[in-house]
Amino acid sequence: PVFFRGNVLTADTRSSCFEVPDYAVVDLQYTVDQTPVDLAVNTTTLTLQFSNDNVSFVNGLAVATNNVTDTTDLQQFQLFGRHACVYADVTNTNPVTITVLGVVK
C-alpha cells in the first residue's frame, strides 16, 4: 500500500486506507522532509490506525514521534482489523512532505 506519496501537509491528515485482513505485518518505510530553512519546522507524528468499518479509527503504534528533522526509516509493524491507515499529526501550518510506503506480508 501507498499511504502517502510525497504529500505536502499543512494540517493533520489521514492517509488512504487499505484492506489488510489477509496480512499480519507491514514493512513500513517513511520519509519526512521538513519545512524550508526560512520557516519553523512542523513537528510531525505518524501513527498507524486501524478500523473494521473504515469510519471509526483506533490508534496503533507511533511510527515516528515528534519528528523535527528530515528523516527516513523502515520498520515492521503488526496489522489489525480490516483497514490500515497512517495518521499524520502536525503542529502548525508550515509545509512538511510525507511519504509512507508499505509491503504487507
Side-chain angles (χ1 to χ4, degrees):
V2 176
F3 296 99
F4 291 110
R5 184 185 298 274
N7 296 67
V8 179
L9 306 181
T10 57
D12 296 348
T13 305
R14 179 174 294 112
S15 73
S16 300
C17 298
F18 296 91
E19 289 194 34
V20 294
D22 295 331
Y23 306 100
V25 296
V26 61
D27 295 343
L28 205 63
Q29 183 173 5
Y30 69 89
T31 301
V32 178
D33 184 8
Q34 280 292 342
T35 57
V37 175
D38 58 332
L39 298 173
V41 296
N42 194 342
T43 304
T44 304
T45 297
L46 301 175
T47 305
L48 272 168
Q49 289 190 324
F50 305 104
S51 175
N52 282 333
D53 61 9
N54 212 21
V55 175
S56 300
F57 297 90
V58 175
N59 285 339
L61 293 175
V63 176
T65 304
N66 295 327
N67 171 273
V68 295
T69 61
D70 292 350
T71 190
T72 189
D73 199 3
L74 174 62
Q75 298 178 42
Q76 188 174 78
F77 297 93
Q78 284 189 292
L79 292 171
F80 301 96
R82 183 167 188 83
H83 303 275
C85 316
V86 175
Y87 189 76
D89 181 6
V90 298
T91 57
N92 61 51
T93 58
N94 292 337
V96 58
T97 304
I98 306 293
T99 298
V100 181
L101 309 172
V103 173
V104 291
K105 301 177 185 180

